[in-house]
Amino acid sequence: MFILKGIEQLEKAIAKAKKLRPRVEFDCFGRYRVSGSKGYYTVVCKRSDNGYKTVECTCKGAEKGLVCYHAAAALSLHVGLAKQRQTA
Ligand SMILES: [Zn+2]
């Protein structure tokens, strides 16, 4: 799990996601399944009570607090959906 503070933090992961093009499946708002080297990982994006945006992924990298490309891929979808919700 990591706390999302800004887009700069995601740059490397986004670049990797663009290269590897993982499949992102929508589960429900804030919850996505992303394909990885060893099957699907679940990414959960949420806003904690104290206002932090947190992202969780079930892969090994995220367990250590790294920003993985699964999270970056899921976030790009999540951010788009969040915007749609705000304008709806
Ligand atoms: Zn991951």
Side-chain angles (χ1 to χ4, degrees):
M1 190 273 273
F2 65 92
I3 295 167
L4 183 64
K5 292 169 190 146
I7 195 82
E8 316 80 54
Q9 199 183 353
L10 293 170
E11 271 172 4
K12 273 189 194 158
I14 289 171
K16 196 169 177 188
K18 278 185 181 159
K19 207 168 160 189
L20 297 172
R21 299 192 161 276
R23 218 182 133 80
V24 183
E25 287 180 7
F26 177 80
D27 192 355
C28 61
F29 183 70
R31 194 180 169 93
Y32 311 93
R33 298 198 317 137
V34 184
S35 65
S37 53
K38 292 185 178 120
Y40 277 87
Y41 297 109
T42 301
V43 178
V44 178
C45 312
K46 56 188 170 190
R47 192 180 285 266
S48 65
D49 296 336
N50 47 15
Y52 286 119
K53 283 178 195 160
T54 63
V55 184
E56 282 170 43
C57 178
T58 50
C59 77
K60 284 264 180 272
E63 252 174 42
K64 294 176 197 152
L66 298 174
V67 180
C68 59
Y69 72 92
H70 319 113
L75 269 169
S76 62
L77 176 64
H78 181 68
V79 167
L81 292 172
K83 275 188 189 151
Q84 276 179 23
R85 283 199 154 195
Q86 278 165 14
T87 52

PDB file of all heavy atoms in Angstrom, residues 54-79:
ATOM      1  N   THR A  54      -5.121   6.506  -0.879  1.00  0.00           N
ATOM      2  CA  THR A  54      -4.260   5.347  -0.753  1.00  0.00           C
ATOM      3  C   THR A  54      -4.544   4.363  -1.881  1.00  0.00           C
ATOM      4  O   THR A  54      -5.667   4.263  -2.370  1.00  0.00           O
ATOM      5  CB  THR A  54      -4.447   4.630   0.598  1.00  0.00           C
ATOM      6  OG1 THR A  54      -5.778   4.143   0.689  1.00  0.00           O
ATOM      7  CG2 THR A  54      -4.168   5.555   1.769  1.00  0.00           C
ATOM      8  N   VAL A  55      -3.494   3.659  -2.281  1.00  0.00           N
ATOM      9  CA  VAL A  55      -3.622   2.674  -3.342  1.00  0.00           C
ATOM     10  C   VAL A  55      -3.029   1.367  -2.850  1.00  0.00           C
ATOM     11  O   VAL A  55      -1.909   1.337  -2.340  1.00  0.00           O
ATOM     12  CB  VAL A  55      -2.894   3.142  -4.629  1.00  0.00           C
ATOM     13  CG1 VAL A  55      -3.122   2.155  -5.762  1.00  0.00           C
ATOM     14  CG2 VAL A  55      -3.357   4.525  -5.042  1.00  0.00           C
ATOM     15  N   GLU A  56      -3.783   0.321  -2.985  1.00  0.00           N
ATOM     16  CA  GLU A  56      -3.317  -0.996  -2.574  1.00  0.00           C
ATOM     17  C   GLU A  56      -3.276  -1.895  -3.787  1.00  0.00           C
ATOM     18  O   GLU A  56      -4.151  -1.843  -4.642  1.00  0.00           O
ATOM     19  CB  GLU A  56      -4.302  -1.613  -1.576  1.00  0.00           C
ATOM     20  CG  GLU A  56      -4.174  -1.075  -0.182  1.00  0.00           C
ATOM     21  CD  GLU A  56      -5.323  -1.532   0.690  1.00  0.00           C
ATOM     22  OE1 GLU A  56      -5.700  -2.706   0.613  1.00  0.00           O
ATOM     23  OE2 GLU A  56      -5.849  -0.692   1.426  1.00  0.00           O
ATOM     24  N   CYS A  57      -2.248  -2.728  -3.843  1.00  0.00           N
ATOM     25  CA  CYS A  57      -2.168  -3.721  -4.906  1.00  0.00           C
ATOM     26  C   CYS A  57      -1.718  -5.007  -4.244  1.00  0.00           C
ATOM     27  O   CYS A  57      -0.996  -4.986  -3.245  1.00  0.00           O
ATOM     28  CB  CYS A  57      -1.185  -3.269  -5.988  1.00  0.00           C
ATOM     29  SG  CYS A  57      -0.996  -4.485  -7.313  1.00  0.00           S
ATOM     30  N   THR A  58      -2.149  -6.113  -4.800  1.00  0.00           N
ATOM     31  CA  THR A  58      -1.824  -7.403  -4.180  1.00  0.00           C
ATOM     32  C   THR A  58      -0.491  -7.977  -4.664  1.00  0.00           C
ATOM     33  O   THR A  58      -0.132  -9.084  -4.300  1.00  0.00           O
ATOM     34  CB  THR A  58      -2.957  -8.419  -4.440  1.00  0.00           C
ATOM     35  OG1 THR A  58      -3.258  -8.416  -5.836  1.00  0.00           O
ATOM     36  CG2 THR A  58      -4.207  -8.061  -3.660  1.00  0.00           C
ATOM     37  N   CYS A  59       0.270  -7.240  -5.473  1.00  0.00           N
ATOM     38  CA  CYS A  59       1.551  -7.766  -5.953  1.00  0.00           C
ATOM     39  C   CYS A  59       2.650  -7.589  -4.908  1.00  0.00           C
ATOM     40  O   CYS A  59       2.482  -6.861  -3.930  1.00  0.00           O
ATOM     41  CB  CYS A  59       1.949  -7.117  -7.277  1.00  0.00           C
ATOM     42  SG  CYS A  59       2.600  -5.447  -7.117  1.00  0.00           S
ATOM     43  N   LYS A  60       3.766  -8.256  -5.138  1.00  0.00           N
ATOM     44  CA  LYS A  60       4.891  -8.221  -4.197  1.00  0.00           C
ATOM     45  C   LYS A  60       5.494  -6.832  -4.015  1.00  0.00           C
ATOM     46  O   LYS A  60       5.855  -6.444  -2.908  1.00  0.00           O
ATOM     47  CB  LYS A  60       5.995  -9.180  -4.674  1.00  0.00           C
ATOM     48  CG  LYS A  60       5.687 -10.626  -4.410  1.00  0.00           C
ATOM     49  CD  LYS A  60       6.339 -11.083  -3.107  1.00  0.00           C
ATOM     50  CE  LYS A  60       6.055 -12.548  -2.813  1.00  0.00           C
ATOM     51  NZ  LYS A  60       4.812 -12.733  -2.056  1.00  0.00           N
ATOM     52  N   GLY A  61       5.621  -6.101  -5.113  1.00  0.00           N
ATOM     53  CA  GLY A  61       6.218  -4.768  -5.052  1.00  0.00           C
ATOM     54  C   GLY A  61       5.431  -3.829  -4.151  1.00  0.00           C
ATOM     55  O   GLY A  61       5.996  -3.129  -3.308  1.00  0.00           O
ATOM     56  N   ALA A  62       4.116  -3.855  -4.318  1.00  0.00           N
ATOM     57  CA  ALA A  62       3.254  -2.962  -3.541  1.00  0.00           C
ATOM     58  C   ALA A  62       3.286  -3.332  -2.055  1.00  0.00           C
ATOM     59  O   ALA A  62       3.129  -2.474  -1.192  1.00  0.00           O
ATOM     60  CB  ALA A  62       1.827  -3.016  -4.081  1.00  0.00           C
ATOM     61  N   GLU A  63       3.519  -4.599  -1.776  1.00  0.00           N
ATOM     62  CA  GLU A  63       3.624  -5.051  -0.385  1.00  0.00           C
ATOM     63  C   GLU A  63       4.755  -4.323   0.329  1.00  0.00           C
ATOM     64  O   GLU A  63       4.703  -4.078   1.521  1.00  0.00           O
ATOM     65  CB  GLU A  63       3.941  -6.557  -0.362  1.00  0.00           C
ATOM     66  CG  GLU A  63       2.785  -7.408   0.089  1.00  0.00           C
ATOM     67  CD  GLU A  63       3.096  -8.892  -0.050  1.00  0.00           C
ATOM     68  OE1 GLU A  63       4.231  -9.308   0.288  1.00  0.00           O
ATOM     69  OE2 GLU A  63       2.195  -9.613  -0.520  1.00  0.00           O
ATOM     70  N   LYS A  64       5.792  -3.991  -0.463  1.00  0.00           N
ATOM     71  CA  LYS A  64       6.953  -3.292   0.107  1.00  0.00           C
ATOM     72  C   LYS A  64       6.786  -1.783   0.030  1.00  0.00           C
ATOM     73  O   LYS A  64       7.708  -1.042   0.303  1.00  0.00           O
ATOM     74  CB  LYS A  64       8.216  -3.689  -0.651  1.00  0.00           C
ATOM     75  CG  LYS A  64       8.593  -5.129  -0.498  1.00  0.00           C
ATOM     76  CD  LYS A  64       9.801  -5.431  -1.382  1.00  0.00           C
ATOM     77  CE  LYS A  64       9.958  -6.929  -1.577  1.00  0.00           C
ATOM     78  NZ  LYS A  64      10.623  -7.225  -2.859  1.00  0.00           N
ATOM     79  N   GLY A  65       5.628  -1.337  -0.430  1.00  0.00           N
ATOM     80  CA  GLY A  65       5.373   0.098  -0.505  1.00  0.00           C
ATOM     81  C   GLY A  65       5.814   0.734  -1.807  1.00  0.00           C
ATOM     82  O   GLY A  65       5.864   1.959  -1.915  1.00  0.00           O
ATOM     83  N   LEU A  66       6.122  -0.082  -2.803  1.00  0.00           N
ATOM     84  CA  LEU A  66       6.544   0.460  -4.094  1.00  0.00           C
ATOM     85  C   LEU A  66       5.320   0.830  -4.939  1.00  0.00           C
ATOM     86  O   LEU A  66       4.250   0.249  -4.782  1.00  0.00           O
ATOM     87  CB  LEU A  66       7.366  -0.576  -4.865  1.00  0.00           C
ATOM     88  CG  LEU A  66       8.678  -1.030  -4.234  1.00  0.00           C
ATOM     89  CD1 LEU A  66       9.288  -2.153  -5.054  1.00  0.00           C
ATOM     90  CD2 LEU A  66       9.655   0.130  -4.136  1.00  0.00           C
ATOM     91  N   VAL A  67       5.532   1.805  -5.805  1.00  0.00           N
ATOM     92  CA  VAL A  67       4.467   2.182  -6.732  1.00  0.00           C
ATOM     93  C   VAL A  67       4.601   1.258  -7.944  1.00  0.00           C
ATOM     94  O   VAL A  67       5.553   1.364  -8.698  1.00  0.00           O
ATOM     95  CB  VAL A  67       4.615   3.655  -7.166  1.00  0.00           C
ATOM     96  CG1 VAL A  67       3.507   4.040  -8.130  1.00  0.00           C
ATOM     97  CG2 VAL A  67       4.593   4.571  -5.950  1.00  0.00           C
ATOM     98  N   CYS A  68       3.682   0.345  -8.091  1.00  0.00           N
ATOM     99  CA  CYS A  68       3.793  -0.618  -9.184  1.00  0.00           C
ATOM    100  C   CYS A  68       3.007  -0.152 -10.399  1.00  0.00           C
ATOM    101  O   CYS A  68       2.166   0.735 -10.304  1.00  0.00           O
ATOM    102  CB  CYS A  68       3.314  -1.992  -8.725  1.00  0.00           C
ATOM    103  SG  CYS A  68       1.608  -1.985  -8.161  1.00  0.00           S
ATOM    104  N   TYR A  69       3.300  -0.771 -11.530  1.00  0.00           N
ATOM    105  CA  TYR A  69       2.613  -0.342 -12.748  1.00  0.00           C
ATOM    106  C   TYR A  69       1.154  -0.788 -12.772  1.00  0.00           C
ATOM    107  O   TYR A  69       0.335  -0.216 -13.481  1.00  0.00           O
ATOM    108  CB  TYR A  69       3.382  -0.800 -13.995  1.00  0.00           C
ATOM    109  CG  TYR A  69       3.334  -2.276 -14.304  1.00  0.00           C
ATOM    110  CD1 TYR A  69       2.353  -2.786 -15.154  1.00  0.00           C
ATOM    111  CD2 TYR A  69       4.265  -3.145 -13.762  1.00  0.00           C
ATOM    112  CE1 TYR A  69       2.309  -4.139 -15.448  1.00  0.00           C
ATOM    113  CE2 TYR A  69       4.231  -4.490 -14.057  1.00  0.00           C
ATOM    114  CZ  TYR A  69       3.248  -4.992 -14.897  1.00  0.00           C
ATOM    115  OH  TYR A  69       3.211  -6.331 -15.177  1.00  0.00           O
ATOM    116  N   HIS A  70       0.823  -1.792 -11.968  1.00  0.00           N
ATOM    117  CA  HIS A  70      -0.590  -2.204 -11.884  1.00  0.00           C
ATOM    118  C   HIS A  70      -1.410  -1.055 -11.300  1.00  0.00           C
ATOM    119  O   HIS A  70      -2.488  -0.735 -11.772  1.00  0.00           O
ATOM    120  CB  HIS A  70      -0.775  -3.425 -10.974  1.00  0.00           C
ATOM    121  CG  HIS A  70       0.265  -4.471 -11.138  1.00  0.00           C
ATOM    122  ND1 HIS A  70       1.172  -4.793 -10.164  1.00  0.00           N
ATOM    123  CD2 HIS A  70       0.545  -5.250 -12.209  1.00  0.00           C
ATOM    124  CE1 HIS A  70       1.980  -5.739 -10.615  1.00  0.00           C
ATOM    125  NE2 HIS A  70       1.625  -6.025 -11.837  1.00  0.00           N
ATOM    126  N   ALA A  71      -0.849  -0.475 -10.226  1.00  0.00           N
ATOM    127  CA  ALA A  71      -1.519   0.641  -9.562  1.00  0.00           C
ATOM    128  C   ALA A  71      -1.645   1.816 -10.528  1.00  0.00           C
ATOM    129  O   ALA A  71      -2.696   2.451 -10.605  1.00  0.00           O
ATOM    130  CB  ALA A  71      -0.741   1.050  -8.317  1.00  0.00           C
ATOM    131  N   ALA A  72      -0.582   2.090 -11.278  1.00  0.00           N
ATOM    132  CA  ALA A  72      -0.603   3.206 -12.224  1.00  0.00           C
ATOM    133  C   ALA A  72      -1.670   2.980 -13.295  1.00  0.00           C
ATOM    134  O   ALA A  72      -2.417   3.898 -13.639  1.00  0.00           O
ATOM    135  CB  ALA A  72       0.768   3.367 -12.869  1.00  0.00           C
ATOM    136  N   ALA A  73      -1.760   1.744 -13.788  1.00  0.00           N
ATOM    137  CA  ALA A  73      -2.746   1.425 -14.818  1.00  0.00           C
ATOM    138  C   ALA A  73      -4.159   1.560 -14.266  1.00  0.00           C
ATOM    139  O   ALA A  73      -5.040   2.127 -14.913  1.00  0.00           O
ATOM    140  CB  ALA A  73      -2.511   0.011 -15.348  1.00  0.00           C
ATOM    141  N   ALA A  74      -4.374   1.054 -13.064  1.00  0.00           N
ATOM    142  CA  ALA A  74      -5.701   1.131 -12.448  1.00  0.00           C
ATOM    143  C   ALA A  74      -6.065   2.578 -12.132  1.00  0.00           C
ATOM    144  O   ALA A  74      -7.209   2.989 -12.320  1.00  0.00           O
ATOM    145  CB  ALA A  74      -5.744   0.285 -11.183  1.00  0.00           C
ATOM    146  N   LEU A  75      -5.074   3.338 -11.697  1.00  0.00           N
ATOM    147  CA  LEU A  75      -5.330   4.736 -11.341  1.00  0.00           C
ATOM    148  C   LEU A  75      -5.749   5.573 -12.542  1.00  0.00           C
ATOM    149  O   LEU A  75      -6.603   6.445 -12.410  1.00  0.00           O
ATOM    150  CB  LEU A  75      -4.085   5.353 -10.704  1.00  0.00           C
ATOM    151  CG  LEU A  75      -4.005   5.240  -9.188  1.00  0.00           C
ATOM    152  CD1 LEU A  75      -2.627   5.641  -8.716  1.00  0.00           C
ATOM    153  CD2 LEU A  75      -5.066   6.090  -8.505  1.00  0.00           C
ATOM    154  N   SER A  76      -5.172   5.286 -13.692  1.00  0.00           N
ATOM    155  CA  SER A  76      -5.538   6.077 -14.860  1.00  0.00           C
ATOM    156  C   SER A  76      -7.019   5.862 -15.174  1.00  0.00           C
ATOM    157  O   SER A  76      -7.718   6.795 -15.559  1.00  0.00           O
ATOM    158  CB  SER A  76      -4.639   5.777 -16.060  1.00  0.00           C
ATOM    159  OG  SER A  76      -4.766   4.439 -16.430  1.00  0.00           O
ATOM    160  N   LEU A  77      -7.500   4.647 -14.967  1.00  0.00           N
ATOM    161  CA  LEU A  77      -8.921   4.369 -15.166  1.00  0.00           C
ATOM    162  C   LEU A  77      -9.736   5.015 -14.041  1.00  0.00           C
ATOM    163  O   LEU A  77     -10.758   5.650 -14.283  1.00  0.00           O
ATOM    164  CB  LEU A  77      -9.157   2.849 -15.198  1.00  0.00           C
ATOM    165  CG  LEU A  77     -10.614   2.387 -15.309  1.00  0.00           C
ATOM    166  CD1 LEU A  77     -11.230   2.830 -16.628  1.00  0.00           C
ATOM    167  CD2 LEU A  77     -10.704   0.869 -15.201  1.00  0.00           C
ATOM    168  N   HIS A  78      -9.246   4.855 -12.821  1.00  0.00           N
ATOM    169  CA  HIS A  78      -9.946   5.371 -11.650  1.00  0.00           C
ATOM    170  C   HIS A  78     -10.140   6.884 -11.716  1.00  0.00           C
ATOM    171  O   HIS A  78     -11.222   7.398 -11.447  1.00  0.00           O
ATOM    172  CB  HIS A  78      -9.156   4.995 -10.396  1.00  0.00           C
ATOM    173  CG  HIS A  78      -9.791   5.457  -9.121  1.00  0.00           C
ATOM    174  ND1 HIS A  78     -10.973   4.930  -8.661  1.00  0.00           N
ATOM    175  CD2 HIS A  78      -9.429   6.394  -8.216  1.00  0.00           C
ATOM    176  CE1 HIS A  78     -11.303   5.541  -7.523  1.00  0.00           C
ATOM    177  NE2 HIS A  78     -10.385   6.424  -7.235  1.00  0.00           N
ATOM    178  N   VAL A  79      -9.074   7.588 -12.103  1.00  0.00           N
ATOM    179  CA  VAL A  79      -9.130   9.050 -12.186  1.00  0.00           C
ATOM    180  C   VAL A  79     -10.165   9.482 -13.230  1.00  0.00           C
ATOM    181  O   VAL A  79     -10.953  10.397 -12.979  1.00  0.00           O
ATOM    182  CB  VAL A  79      -7.728   9.632 -12.510  1.00  0.00           C
ATOM    183  CG1 VAL A  79      -7.803  11.097 -12.902  1.00  0.00           C
ATOM    184  CG2 VAL A  79      -6.813   9.464 -11.308  1.00  0.00           C
TER     185      VAL A  79
END
